[in-house]
Amino acid sequence: MIESVRAVADAVLYEGFFLFPYSKRALKNQRPFQFGVVMPQGYADPSEPASVGCEFVYCPDGDRRIDGCLRFLHIGDEPVEREVSFNFRAGDEPQRLPFEAGGLRGTILVSSECVDQAYRMCIELRNENGVAADEARNQALASAFVSAHFVLAAESGAFASMLDAPEVALPAVASCRNERLYPVLIGEQQAGSNTSPLLLLSPIILYDFPRIAQASKTRTFDGTEIDELLMLSVASLTDEEKRDARAAHPYVRELVERAEALDAQTLESLHGELTGTAREPGDETVQIAGVTIGKGARVRVFPKGRADVWDEIVRGMTGRVNAVHTDFEGKRYIGVLFDNDPAADIHEWYGRSFFYGVDEVEPLP
């Protein structure tokens, strides 16, 4: 189960593990902040409690068995990966699943409720270790579950998207509440899919079906994919800084060695990539009143729902589409250069457009 989604799960596990310049002497690495920290009982700071909880929706199809794996880092002299496997069945009585991993004790609590034709499931993770209320954070981390997250696999049936739920799951999804964990569909995405037999309960809010860029070959710990500028920065460290980084952890040593070996071909492979059908940023199309609108299309602009003087000035003006973009929520924006704008050529050279929603422009012949 884990192997098929390990790249994404490991990115969550190691997010913030070490930060540039990757030296243990750096203050930000002496006092690390990571997502998904479940502190031991008694720790005084309420911003990092001793439990986290997540609700998600499962749509059954036959056997209601779900296999789970809890993963976290155990912070000691060297952080150690811990995994706890368990299973449960949707619709069964609530379960209390105590575990021990590397001397750390915890409890996984599972419950479910049938909502129409789906199950609203709840998983709670509790840290059963204890520390004194005045314990310093770095010392308390030794008894914490760090970067804690779950990977779940349905024997049959599938988990529903929280962002775009199928109709059968809508009532259950609407009633879900999450505390410091968020359900994310993972695995292979099918066209138009809003369900998956694999689910990540992540301390970092991600879109469904996240993936690591193909160029990513080394953990950077500052993000979920390799960054060209970051690798150049690592390569520019002094010899002393590189020695400190190599000594921090084998994963960091691997990163430094990759940065040192940068050549033109490797550097080119670290450039960002475009997804979807666009060949370059803004090179998308959208249908408006049965007309395909893309770069070069002619439109008339009618701004809506605003009180900006500029919107009144351009209302009814015609122009040429310079770009069509889609934001992270799937909303389309149309970039326009106006016909009677004397600075239109400068805007185009500079890459600037005036952006409007799909419902704010109409196609022209």
Side-chain angles (χ1 to χ4, degrees):
M1 172 180 64
I2 289 293
E3 293 306 321
S4 63
V5 295
R6 184 173 291 278
V8 172
D10 281 353
V12 171
L13 187 67
Y14 284 100
E15 175 74 19
F17 170 60
F18 266 112
L19 299 176
F20 182 81
Y22 304 115
S23 167
K24 287 187 176 180
R25 293 189 294 180
L27 181 61
K28 56 188 173 183
N29 289 323
Q30 293 175 16
R31 299 178 180 176
F33 170 82
Q34 285 178 282
F35 296 93
V37 177
V38 186
M39 280 297 196
Q41 303 283 338
Y43 182 65
D45 187 347
S47 69
E48 292 186 311
S51 66
V52 294
C54 185
E55 293 184 346
F56 55 94
V57 175
Y58 166 64
C59 303
D61 181 16
D63 190 356
R64 293 176 279 110
R65 175 185 167 118
I66 297 173
D67 293 310
C69 182
L70 165 66
R71 309 179 76 228
F72 61 90
L73 289 178
H74 184 180
I75 304 297
D77 293 336
E78 292 290 346
V80 178
E81 297 180 19
R82 303 294 186 194
E83 294 188 359
V84 178
S85 297
F86 61 98
N87 62 76
F88 56 94
R89 287 174 58 85
D92 284 359
E93 293 296 316
Q95 297 184 56
R96 180 184 177 90
L97 307 171
F99 67 87
E100 188 275 335
L104 296 184
R105 295 176 295 104
T107 302
I108 300 168
L109 296 99
V110 181
S111 61
S112 62
E113 178 184 3
C114 186
V115 180
D116 290 346
Q117 301 176 55
Y119 286 95
R120 183 177 67 239
M121 311 291 303
C122 177
I123 283 186
E124 181 182 351
L125 171 62
R126 293 180 183 174
N127 190 330
E128 304 292 359
N129 303 282
V131 295
D134 59 352
E135 189 84 8
R137 183 177 186 275
N138 275 12
Q139 281 65 52
L141 283 174
S143 300
F145 307 145
V146 177
S147 297
H149 61 278
F150 292 89
V151 178
L152 305 179
E155 187 78 14
S156 61
F159 303 104
S161 169
M162 303 297 285
L163 300 174
D164 182 24
E167 185 174 351
V168 68
L170 283 173
V173 167
S175 61
C176 283
R177 298 292 182 269
N178 297 292
E179 181 182 354
R180 303 173 71 236
L181 283 177
Y182 191 82
V184 179
L185 301 184
I186 52 175
E188 292 297 323
Q189 181 179 14
Q190 305 299 321
S193 174
N194 52 7
T195 63
S196 174
L198 295 172
L199 189 70
L200 171 68
L201 306 185
S202 170
I204 305 169
I205 296 178
L206 302 169
Y207 283 92
D208 287 331
F209 302 105
R211 66 183 184 91
I212 304 300
Q214 292 182 356
S216 294
K217 306 296 182 185
T218 308
R219 298 172 174 88
T220 61
F221 317 118
D222 285 309
T224 55
E225 58 185 57
I226 277 179
D227 177 82
E228 179 181 2
L229 178 59
L230 181 61
M231 291 298 287
L232 289 171
S233 299
V234 173
S236 70
L237 292 173
T238 66
D239 289 341
E240 182 181 3
E241 288 171 329
K242 289 178 181 177
R243 283 196 297 271
D244 286 345
R246 286 191 179 95
H249 193 275
Y251 291 159
V252 181
R253 182 168 63 251
E254 178 186 353
L255 186 153
V256 173
E257 291 173 353
R258 178 168 169 79
E260 286 185 319
L262 279 177
D263 53 27
Q265 182 177 359
T266 303
L267 192 61
E268 177 68 23
S269 73
L270 300 182
H271 288 318
E273 62 174 318
L274 288 170
T275 57
T277 58
R279 295 183 296 277
E280 59 183 61
D283 186 21
E284 301 180 30
T285 60
V286 62
Q287 292 287 320
I288 301 178
V291 178
T292 300
I293 300 297
K295 280 186 178 180
R298 304 272 303 147
V299 296
R300 189 182 303 276
V301 174
F302 295 95
K304 293 182 178 180
R306 307 177 188 178
D308 192 297
V309 172
W310 176 257
D311 291 334
E312 294 304 316
I313 293 174
V314 303
R315 189 178 304 279
M317 288 177 56
T318 61
R320 175 171 54 86
V321 174
N322 190 42
V324 178
H325 291 281
T326 304
D327 68 14
F328 286 112
E329 295 180 348
K331 186 175 180 179
R332 294 289 181 88
Y333 293 90
I334 299 172
V336 177
L337 297 174
F338 291 104
D339 292 335
N340 58 354
D341 183 353
D345 289 343
I346 297 176
H347 292 325
E348 184 172 21
W349 174 82
Y350 198 73
R352 181 184 182 191
S353 302
F354 297 93
F355 285 93
Y356 299 93
V358 173
D359 61 344
E360 296 179 300
V361 302
E362 66 176 26
L364 291 177

